[in-house]
Amino acid sequence: MNILQFLLLAQNLCVLVLADPPPDYYFPDDFIFGAATAAYQVEGAWNEDGKGESIWDRGTHEHPDWVADNSNGDIACDSYHKYKEDVQLLKDLGVDFYRFSISWSRVLPTGKIDQINQAGIDYYNNLIDELLANGIQPYATMYHWDLPQALQDEGGWPERKLADYFVDYARVLFENFGDRVKHWMTFNEIVQICEAGYSDGAFAPYVVNPGIGGYECTHTILLAHGRTYRMYETDFKAQQNGQIGIAIDTSWHEPNFPDRETDQQASEVDMEMNYGWFVNPIVNGNYPDVMIERVKTNSLAEGFSASRLPEFTPDEQEMLKGTFEFLGLNHYTSDKVYFAEEGAGDRPSHWADTGVVGYQDPSWSGSASYWLKVVPWGLRNLLVYIKNHYDNPPVLITENGFSDYGQWDDYDRANYFKDYLYEVLRAIHEEECNVIGYTAWSLIDNFEWMAGYTQKFGLHYVNFWDPERTRNKKLSSYVYNNIITTRHVDWDYYPDWPQPTESNV
Ligand code: GBH
């Protein structure tokens, strides 16, 4: 070793020794923690006690081979019968709230109010009462993808009359549950409902109509959301005093080269076209200007006489503006983006309208889901983006989580929660982002849509080979509980835990 090498080594050692450890931030006292599921993914009992058929019942039954393991949600975790066990798990986790969804066709089998299924009302009453008896607040999502099939038979979400049916359904929910449910999310992930459901055909009802179906569907849903908010405001708010939000999902779209101006613009356009598309109408009353322009330019170039993006009337814009008490955010992963070449992509399509290419850095570590790479800092960048673009609204993280193949000792999931939650802490303490709470996806392993039961997101293991659908704690449930109770991230905490002996992995 020469003197120069020695000095370099000495310098590196100094940096190692002297570098400050990451600051030990704490969650604010009023910061809330929860865990989430969705009706079709956990309930099962798909045709019991008067429940009507949904588009996911129909889709998985008609095309079993479209789901990775040919499975479906007929039984799933059997939470319809085992909800008390779920509540016990929530209690042991120490969460403040449970985010679950209500199955529209369990409450209204045909989707319409002329037929109310009392057994469905009873089920959710029981679940809500059990939660409250255990000190857990119910956070209810009205729609997590399971449209009553009868309404799909009338054309589904691209049909504007679906907004009327949704508002009727929401009224039934407020009337029956609003005395105890004080936090509502109207919809879960509009982009998945609409782009996957009505543009690409990747999700039920598997309609392929790119560049048109997704825009029409979204328009109906945004109107349904806004009108539900206004109905609550006029007819229920005074007595029930609850809050209405919505859960919108987005990745963080990092500029490919952060210093390159065109990549910064690509990131901005991608965020507006995939997040602003839903948030801007709810916050400011209309689609983002850049989206209105781009879809119109493309539509005219393609020979359409008008834009494929529907328009809100001035009254509708007024109605929509400010229709949220909290913005729900579902976030899992990030990508890096740059502008596509002129004319790239099949047209018409939302992708071509956006005109941005994204990819995931091969150095990012993966999960059991091809789309889910671990990028904790992406969450902080996203939270800062939301703060800057929408005047620092209250953000409730309504989903965040990691998939594996189902091991008990799920260190990767535990570390994912630590790393992402630490970025939430940094967003709060270093960037003054108004993040009010966090929800882990998911409370239990469940039916992961087109991936069936091949990808597991649960804090708790469910044995799907066992008719009893036995639940067991994974390592990550202890780690999440430790974060909730100590209110910070303890990097060294891994439990000495009683590993379950049975296994179906
Ligand atoms: C959430 O969506 C959902 O709200 C929740 O129900 C789901 O279980 C959870 O994520 C985990 O996936 O190309 O067909 O494989 C997150 C957004 C949308 C991400 C679909 C994965 C790929 C679908 N997801 N996307 S596919």
Side-chain angles (χ1 to χ4, degrees):
M1 189 185 307
N2 66 29
I3 180 76
L4 200 64
Q5 285 170 328
F6 173 79
L7 286 174
L8 273 172
L9 180 73
Q11 190 197 13
N12 285 339
L13 283 175
C14 279
V15 170
L16 270 183
V17 172
L18 299 177
D20 288 334
D24 188 13
Y25 295 128
Y26 280 72
F27 288 99
D29 290 343
D30 54 357
F31 190 92
I32 51 174
F33 289 95
T37 61
Y40 186 70
Q41 296 179 272
V42 302
E43 282 180 6
W46 76 280
N47 61 354
E48 259 182 75
D49 296 343
K51 178 179 167 295
E53 189 187 20
S54 81
I55 56 174
W56 277 91
D57 296 320
R58 175 70 65 91
T60 54
H61 292 157
E62 243 175 30
H63 305 286
D65 52 315
W66 291 2
V67 176
D69 51 3
N70 290 11
S71 67
N72 56 48
D74 287 3
I75 303 173
C77 311
D78 200 20
S79 288
Y80 185 69
H81 298 109
K82 302 182 78 75
Y83 67 91
K84 287 190 179 171
E85 287 184 31
D86 295 342
V87 174
Q88 214 45 57
L89 299 176
L90 288 158
K91 193 172 184 188
D92 290 352
L93 264 186
V95 291
D96 302 293
F97 67 94
Y98 180 36
R99 176 175 178 240
F100 62 96
S101 86
I102 295 174
S103 158
W104 187 341
S105 69
R106 195 179 291 292
V107 173
L108 305 178
T110 63
K112 299 187 191 173
I113 35 164
D114 53 344
Q115 207 185 314
I116 297 184
N117 180 31
Q118 189 55 43
I121 301 278
D122 293 346
Y123 170 65
Y124 294 110
N125 272 332
N126 291 339
L127 171 60
I128 291 162
D129 291 343
E130 184 74 9
L131 287 167
L132 290 171
N134 284 279
I136 298 159
Q137 285 298 314
Y139 277 49
T141 307
M142 298 176 172
Y143 186 84
H144 198 124
W145 306 359
D146 44 358
L147 184 71
Q149 180 61 38
L151 299 185
Q152 181 53 34
D153 294 341
E154 295 191 27
W157 286 114
E159 293 296 325
R160 225 61 89 209
K161 63 184 168 185
L162 268 272
D164 300 334
Y165 298 141
F166 184 84
V167 175
D168 291 345
Y169 161 58
R171 177 179 291 279
V172 172
L173 302 187
F174 294 144
E175 278 170 353
N176 282 278
F177 310 126
D179 56 335
R180 287 151 298 148
V181 174
K182 301 301 171 191
H183 297 87
W184 297 96
M185 286 139 290
T186 52
F187 290 92
N188 181 71
E189 302 189 348
I190 306 180
V191 74
Q192 308 306 333
I193 301 168
C194 293
E195 276 300 302
Y198 295 92
S199 276
D200 310 334
F203 282 172
Y206 306 115
V207 174
V208 180
N209 188 13
I212 296 171
Y215 292 147
E216 293 295 340
C217 165
T218 295
H219 205 72
T220 309
I221 287 186
L222 287 169
L223 290 170
H225 165 84
R227 288 176 49 197
T228 299
Y229 183 95
R230 296 299 172 206
M231 172 180 70
Y232 190 78
E233 202 172 39
T234 51
D235 296 354
F236 296 96
K237 183 96 179 172
Q239 310 96 285
Q240 299 188 351
N241 200 25
Q243 300 196 354
I244 311 266
I246 182 167
I248 298 177
D249 64 307
T250 188
S251 298
W252 167 246
H253 302 302
E254 176 78 0
N256 191 26
F257 292 104
D259 295 334
R260 187 184 284 172
E261 208 181 315
T262 52
D263 289 351
Q264 293 164 7
Q265 288 162 358
S267 163
E268 178 67 27
V269 169
D270 213 8
M271 289 304 302
E272 291 280 30
M273 296 285 296
N274 288 291
Y275 184 68
W277 180 8
F278 316 103
V279 176
N280 213 63
I282 288 167
V283 177
N284 300 317
N286 204 355
Y287 297 118
D289 289 340
V290 62
M291 179 164 196
I292 294 173
E293 267 167 46
R294 289 181 88 92
V295 182
K296 185 168 186 186
T297 307
N298 274 3
S299 302
L300 299 182
E302 288 150 8
F304 290 92
S305 59
S307 178
R308 287 176 275 102
L309 188 68
E311 281 178 22
F312 293 116
T313 65
D315 283 351
E316 287 169 343
Q317 294 181 27
E318 243 349 273
M319 181 276 285
L320 277 169
K321 205 170 166 176
T323 49
F324 67 99
E325 264 90 37
F326 61 92
L327 273 187
L329 174 66
N330 291 6
H331 173 80
Y332 291 84
T333 195
S334 294
D335 62 4
K336 293 185 174 183
V337 300
Y338 55 93
F339 280 119
E341 277 172 35
E342 205 59 49
D346 292 340
R347 292 171 73 162
S349 72
H350 173 63
W351 190 83
D353 290 338
T354 304
V356 171
V357 184
Y359 73 99
Q360 292 182 302
D361 196 313
S363 72
W364 296 342
S365 64
S367 68
S369 312
Y370 72 88
W371 54 271
L372 203 177
K373 307 285 184 231
V374 182
V375 196
W377 53 265
L379 175 54
R380 177 167 40 90
N381 286 6
L382 173 59
L383 291 168
V384 171
Y385 173 92
I386 294 171
K387 170 191 151 188
N388 292 337
H389 279 68
Y390 301 104
D391 200 15
N392 209 9
V395 171
L396 175 64
I397 296 172
T398 36
E399 279 182 32
N400 179 240
F402 177 85
S403 66
D404 59 18
Y405 301 101
Q407 47 270 42
W408 309 110
D409 49 345
D410 54 343
Y411 284 94
D412 290 344
R413 175 171 297 100
N415 291 335
Y416 180 100
F417 285 129
K418 287 187 183 190
D419 291 343
Y420 272 72
L421 275 162
Y422 188 69
E423 294 298 330
V424 173
L425 282 167
R426 289 187 65 188
I428 293 170
H429 291 278
E430 295 172 10
E431 313 281 357
E432 285 156 11
C433 293
N434 190 8
V435 190
I436 60 173
Y438 177 91
T439 320
W441 181 274
S442 174
L443 176 66
I444 47 181
D445 290 341
N446 58 53
F447 178 75
E448 177 53 21
W449 309 109
M450 304 311 283
Y453 300 96
T454 64
Q455 300 172 7
K456 306 289 169 57
F457 280 84
L459 289 157
H460 299 94
Y461 173 89
V462 176
N463 186 344
F464 292 102
W465 304 107
D466 178 353
E468 291 301 316
R469 296 296 191 273
T470 339
R471 284 110 160 102
N472 268 302
K473 292 180 168 121
K474 298 184 194 175
L475 172 128
S476 61
S477 72
Y478 294 88
V479 168
Y480 189 42
N481 169 260
N482 177 263
I483 293 172
I484 294 172
T485 52
T486 66
R487 306 199 69 77
H488 77 148
V489 175
D490 180 346
W491 300 103
D492 299 326
Y493 176 78
Y494 296 99
D496 279 331
W497 57 303
Q499 297 216 16
T501 47
E502 73 171 301
S503 172
N504 71 352
V505 181

